[in-house]
Amino acid sequence: MSNTSFFESVEKNFEKAAQITGHPRGLLDQIRVCNSVYHMKFPVKIDGEFQVIEAWRVQHSHHRVPTKGGIRYDAMVNEDEVMALASLMTYKCAIVDVPFGGAKGGIRINPRQFSSDQLERITRRYAAELCKKNMLGPGLDVPAPDYGTGEREMSWIVDTYMALNPGSIDGYGCVTGKPVTQHGINGRREATGLGVFFGVREACSFADDMAELGLKPGLEGKKVIVQGLGNVGYYSAKFFQDGGATIVGIGEYEGAIYNVNGLDVDAVFNHRKSTGSILNFPGATNMANTAEILEQPCDILIPAALENVIHEGNAKKIKAKIIGEAANGPVTTEADDILNGMGVMIIPDMYLNAGGVTVSYFEWLKNLSHVRFGRLTKRFEQGSNMRIVDTIEELTGKKLSQKEVDNIIKGPDEIDLVRSGLEETMINSYHAIRNEWKSNAASNNLRTAAFVVAINKIASDYLAMGIFP
Ligand code: NAD
């Protein structure tokens, strides 16, 4: 495993890029450090007995507010991890031009060991603790789902916030990733996975970059392995499959399966649901040691579970030409050096999994504007498009079929706008990172280039504030 902690790993990667930017040391230090670290312990009654719950909220950077970042439920959550994840959020937001500072939360529990009622009590108490410290609110700090949490937890948080802040007109923007019926947004659930797909697709579209890896451009026929079949992993795998790639391996915590001819993602998902395990899927080879899936033959490896899964001990055994970091921090800093030496293209977490925060930003905007995207414009656009159709028919004397008319006039629904906004964001941001990588010899890989892009944007905010005249 790694001798370097997750936070130290993020700092090391930061430092490689910081030197390239040439900003003054004090400014770089201010960008790097965590601004607020809140470690809390609170009581919750579980089966009639008090239990002390340990939790954190870290706001890494207040250069832009609100701060933003998910909440993780896991038995291994610790301060170093939450600090690392909060830092990555700052750089991530800067890369995709989402106007937030980074934050992250964590509760040290194994959610599988608690009932839904107990999880609700823990979540509501955590939200109340944040409210007491003024660390939750649409203009202060806006959590979202992460590992072990989802829409259900977000709806408990928003309800707790609204109960403690009656009449708060923008209160529903205190958290994102809510159910659509509870002031959420269409497209948030699959946003991170779809962003991963858009990002990898864009990277694979550059013929010269692919030629260097010995690959053809495009996703068609590329063999993909996904580790983790949770929110991010499932949707990433789905979109890769729909986009023409072949999913050859999937890993979960109980084991992994591999089939060089391809695995149907939904069939695997349903098999796991009905049997309680991913193992014994028809036609696939079982791997009881789930980590072995990372070392199987493929073109693209998508770690979408937890950090530090690719380390000094297994990096040399990786056969993928491209690693798409869907999870946060899946590659340790030692493994990063080894893989870069092997010529593997690593598409870094702070860019690749930014689809979630991008659509969370859209959800926050929707909450502040109190109107669904497309509501005011959809019918108007359809009317304008219909007038164009009428004119074409008049000028050409040709009547279009109903299908052709429908295709031309369709105004956008919320989901169309969200997905196109996400696609635009992932493509633009990839180009900015790639330009830095290709135009500056010092930025010799995508991770360093992504850090340089992020640091420069955050630095310009601080400089504009006049703190460093
Ligand atoms: P999740 O809880 O929905 O899913 C994670 C899955 O990984 C679970 O099914 C779990 O059983 C599985 N898993 C755990 N250990 C494993 C192992 N050793 N091998 C294989 N599978 C294992 O969590 P998620 O929201 O999908 O988050 C996954 C990663 O993506 C995390 O690193 C998270 O920080 C990151 N991320 C999530 C989002 C989001 O919107 N949810 C956004 C950005 C980044």
Side-chain angles (χ1 to χ4, degrees), residues 6 70 72-74 85 89 92 104 112 144-150 188-189 191-193 226-234 250-256 272 290-291 293-294 303-307 309 325-330 349 352-357 360:
F6 189 8
R72 174 173 287 197
Y73 289 3
D74 184 60
L85 292 164
M89 282 305 296
K92 195 178 297 187
K104 205 79 180 189
R112 292 189 199 92
D146 191 71
Y147 187 90
T149 60
R188 173 60 183 89
R189 189 179 291 168
T192 309
V226 178
Q227 182 196 41
L229 204 56
N231 174 285
V232 178
Y234 168 76
I250 301 180
E252 252 299 334
Y253 78 99
E254 70 273 11
R272 184 167 188 248
T290 188
I293 196 66
L294 301 167
L306 282 172
E307 58 267 19
V309 294
E325 293 187 329
N328 284 306
D349 46 9
L352 195 65
N353 66 33
V357 75
S360 276

Side-chain angles (χ1 to χ4, degrees), residues 15-274:
E15 281 306 330
K16 282 183 200 162
Q19 288 164 14
I20 299 169
T21 64
H23 293 299
R25 188 68 249 174
L27 174 54
L28 291 169
D29 286 344
Q30 175 56 37
I31 295 172
R32 182 179 50 82
V33 295
C34 286
N35 292 177
S36 311
V37 179
Y38 180 33
H39 180 190
M40 65 199 100
K41 292 178 185 175
F42 51 82
V44 177
K45 259 191 178 172
I46 305 289
D47 297 329
E49 298 287 332
F50 279 113
Q51 197 167 318
V52 179
I53 304 289
E54 198 172 3
W56 288 264
R57 184 71 185 170
V58 173
Q59 295 172 347
H60 172 256
S61 181
H62 294 146
H63 76 290
R64 289 199 175 185
V65 280
T67 49
K68 181 120 197 52
I71 300 175
R72 174 173 287 197
Y73 289 3
D74 184 60
M76 305 301 284
V77 162
N78 58 70
E79 192 158 302
D80 179 274
E81 179 184 64
V82 185
M83 285 167 64
L85 292 164
S87 321
L88 285 175
M89 282 305 296
T90 295
Y91 310 126
K92 195 178 297 187
C93 290
I95 286 169
V96 290
D97 287 330
V98 162
F100 300 140
K104 205 79 180 189
I107 305 186
R108 187 186 277 175
I109 51 166
N110 178 351
R112 292 189 199 92
Q113 288 173 353
F114 293 91
S115 69
S116 174
D117 279 355
Q118 292 165 346
L119 286 172
E120 178 170 354
R121 252 175 282 146
I122 294 169
T123 306
R124 286 183 180 277
R125 181 66 194 242
Y126 177 72
E129 292 293 325
L130 292 178
C131 283
K132 282 202 275 185
K133 298 286 177 191
N134 226 11
M135 290 181 84
L136 180 67
L140 295 169
D141 191 356
V142 183
D146 191 71
Y147 187 90
T149 60
E151 291 173 15
R152 179 183 66 168
E153 287 73 16
M154 302 307 115
S155 68
W156 291 332
I157 292 173
V158 77
D159 187 60
T160 306
Y161 180 85
M162 293 308 275
L164 295 174
N165 297 273
S168 167
I169 184 78
D170 292 328
Y172 289 107
C174 76
V175 67
T176 57
K178 303 178 289 289
V180 177
T181 52
Q182 303 302 311
H183 306 266
I185 193 166
N186 286 288
R188 173 60 183 89
R189 189 179 291 168
E190 67 274 26
T192 309
L194 183 56
V196 168
F197 167 75
F198 285 144
V200 174
R201 188 190 66 183
E202 199 54 26
C204 289
S205 72
F206 287 88
D208 37 350
D209 298 352
M210 290 301 105
E212 277 183 30
L213 298 172
L215 296 172
K216 287 196 186 122
L219 280 181
E220 194 64 42
K222 289 218 163 51
K223 293 187 167 44
V224 179
I225 290 177
V226 178
Q227 182 196 41
L229 204 56
N231 174 285
V232 178
Y234 168 76
Y235 283 110
S236 299
K238 270 287 277 179
F239 288 114
F240 277 116
Q241 181 173 293
D242 294 349
T246 307
I247 307 296
V248 291
I250 301 180
E252 252 299 334
Y253 78 99
E254 70 273 11
I257 52 172
Y258 186 86
N259 183 346
V260 74
N261 298 316
L263 298 162
D264 181 76
V265 178
D266 275 328
V268 173
F269 186 85
N270 291 331
H271 167 82
R272 184 167 188 248
K273 213 170 159 188
S274 59

